[in-house]
Amino acid sequence: MYLRLDDNISRYLFVSDLGEKMSYKYLKNLINSRFIYDRTDKIFNYVKECFGDNYTFKIIYKNHPVIKQKINNGEDITNDLIAKILKNDFLPLIEDKIDKLSTKKSSIYKRIDNIQNVFKLNNIETEIMIFHYLITVNYVVDHHIGRELGLEGPKHFEYFGHILLNVNRSTFLNVMSKGTLIKTGILVEREQGNIQISLWCENYLSSRTPQDLGHKFFTRENNESLKVSDFDVPEAELSVLDILLKSKEKFNILIYGTPGTGKTSFVGSLAKKYNQNLLTVKIPDENTNLERISYLNAVITIADNNSIILVDEADEILNSSDSGLFRGQVNKSWINGFLDNHKKKIVWIVNRVSNIDSSTMRRFSFTMEFKSFNDNKRLKVIKSSLSKNGFNDYFSEEELKALCKDYSVNAGGIVDAIKVLKINKRTKKESALNMLKTLLKNHEKAINGKVSNCNNSNRTGNYSLDGLNTSHKLDDIINILKRYANKREDKVLDHRSITMLLHGMPGTGKSEFVYHLGSLLEREVSLKRCSEITSKWVGETEKNIAEAFEEASEEDRILFFDEADSFLYPRHIAEHSWEKTATNELLTQIESFRGIVIFATNDLKGLDHAALRRFKFKIEFLPLKPESNLHFYNLLLSPLININNKSELTANEINQIKSIRNLTPGDFNVVKEQYIFIDSSEITHKMLIDALINETKYKTSNQKRIGFAFDE
């Protein structure tokens, strides 16, 4: 070896007393190993880094004067001689350093103890964790052990790690094979098999995060105020949950259903009822499945037997099956192995189950579906929440029912709104009701991105059959439906259904008629649009269709499919297989449905022809007749004119209104909206009539009429 007096490897602080002590400890173990002979120069540089060039050569020259002369003469110094110097001269100094540093106990040692205790690490696992931490934050360890000696890579560390840590090789390999540090997320595997300390662990050991480990992986908060009884869960399912939660055995419970149905709130209520701690696994900032799994493993290790672990939004973990549009993010064998081998009580929540492999589904102790909140469920929750806050009779039954119809919010949204209000019995009811409406509306918009289209409590307020132009008398249809509803209640028609197709140009009153029926029959209307039913996931559209029929059947709702041409797609011209299967599923469900189902469309040409025979009633909504034009004008537009300036319609104006072709009730509403904020003293009949004419400029009426028959 050729030594140069001008060697000047940069000095670097050891970051902490732990870093300094371990740097010397690793150096000691290397000097005592066979590396001292085949990597002598690199270990010597490591010594210079730790002691500094001046002090290193001062020791060498003092104990070996001849070496200085050889260096000045440019002579080689053999590796054997350097190895001897390191062992005889520096090893005692290193051991003395280690002894002195062992008396120091900074805060990092307490954090190491916390990790060791929480994750139940043995001493070797703890040493491996410390090494990977120092490789990341300590220049001396990173440069000399990781880069110069090349012991950082996974294979090199597996082969030589026992030397670096000075432990038995077979014991070391046994510890490595268990993979505890990877499973708990302390270490993470990166590209090409490289192992690194996880960011959370690095931050924790570097005192960048609070000392309580739990804050990183889960939350303990459970502020759920609803009781289990507030949820519409069948008694049979509650009985199964009772057995599972009272048992000391581990379980996996899967709860699934559309977002906003109260799944998470229900788990919180369960935990409170059975006096269990609720540990909700956090979603990492990076939100990668690797990080999520490491968090889950960490919580599994930390949780005690009096805890329920909640894995919310677990779709990307559990939905492992591949489909045409979805590729599983987590290995199926890992999921199945995890579900089989953990010893805790875990509740998993997902929005869909269509891509959960059947082998995974079999591993759940119990599965339960949460369906969308209907008006009755919302009414039950809102009454319970008001009662708990001392407002049993503050709002009338009718006012509460109207709220439940208008705002499609879940249990949590209702409870939160009532908490925020902070009303008291001195608050004016009208003011409190307006505040509650605002909160529910904003909550619904925040959750769904829009205000739900089920807000229909006011749609039928001014609705009247008078003036409508339809292919058959709507009063007759209403009477038939009333008789049908009565017989259904008497269970006389368990195996009959009413299927109806409403067709005609936009604005003719098709949708409003459906809600009018709901009001008359005292049944909730379940509106389904294409955007709510169709899904990019293979098989999900068919599942949504089936669920729509099942939900309507269970709740005895009127099932209403608007924009029917988007659902009953003509199969003979379908370009994609899913278009055919969706239509097939709809027709199958219509055949077996026991209730009232109504489809509405503006375009008959866009319907599958074979579907038409499935409808017992086919009703066309036509443009208004001349007398109806005048009826809707007097009903909706004439009141807009200031009473003091209003003059009677002239004969010419009446004839002009009657002569406008292709008018619909919707046109009158549009014109009304145009003028509702204009000063009434400025509005004239001529302005309103001209606006109506303008609405019909671009209309065509070339729809083909279809037959109609009363089938009972």
Side-chain angles (χ1 to χ4, degrees), residues 8-17 19-21 23-24 45-53 133-144 147 202 206 208:
N8 185 25
I9 300 174
S10 63
R11 296 288 294 147
Y12 183 79
L13 295 176
F14 291 102
V15 178
S16 65
D17 53 318
E20 187 175 7
K21 185 182 82 170
S23 296
Y24 283 112
N45 287 336
Y46 190 170
V47 169
K48 288 196 298 176
E49 186 72 59
C50 290
F51 287 96
D53 285 1
Y133 168 68
L134 293 176
I135 277 284
T136 302
V137 303
N138 186 296
Y139 168 80
V140 175
V141 176
D142 174 41
H143 181 80
H144 292 284
R147 301 181 191 180
E202 178 191 338
S206 299
R208 299 188 194 111

Side-chain angles (χ1 to χ4, degrees), residues 633-672:
Y633 184 91
N634 289 327
L635 179 70
L636 298 175
L637 299 186
S638 186
L640 295 174
I641 302 174
N642 188 294
I643 190 68
N644 297 320
N645 300 334
K646 185 181 293 186
S647 59
E648 294 295 326
L649 284 164
T650 66
N652 184 52
E653 288 172 333
I654 291 174
N655 289 332
Q656 193 177 9
I657 293 170
K658 287 182 177 181
S659 67
I660 303 174
R661 296 174 59 85
N662 291 333
L663 275 179
T664 69
D667 296 324
F668 287 90
N669 276 317
V670 169
V671 173
K672 180 181 177 181

Side-chain angles (χ1 to χ4, degrees), residues 480-481 484 496-500 593 595-598 616-617:
I480 290 171
L481 289 173
Y484 172 81
R496 294 287 186 94
S497 63
I498 291 288
T499 53
M500 187 181 299
F593 185 59
I596 301 173
V597 58
I598 303 175
K616 290 184 172 67
F617 303 114

Side-chain angles (χ1 to χ4, degrees), residues 37 81 93 124 150 161 222 299 366 502-503 645:
Y37 298 108
L81 178 57
L93 296 175
I124 296 178
N222 183 8
V299 179
F366 186 54
L502 311 180
H503 63 98
N645 300 334

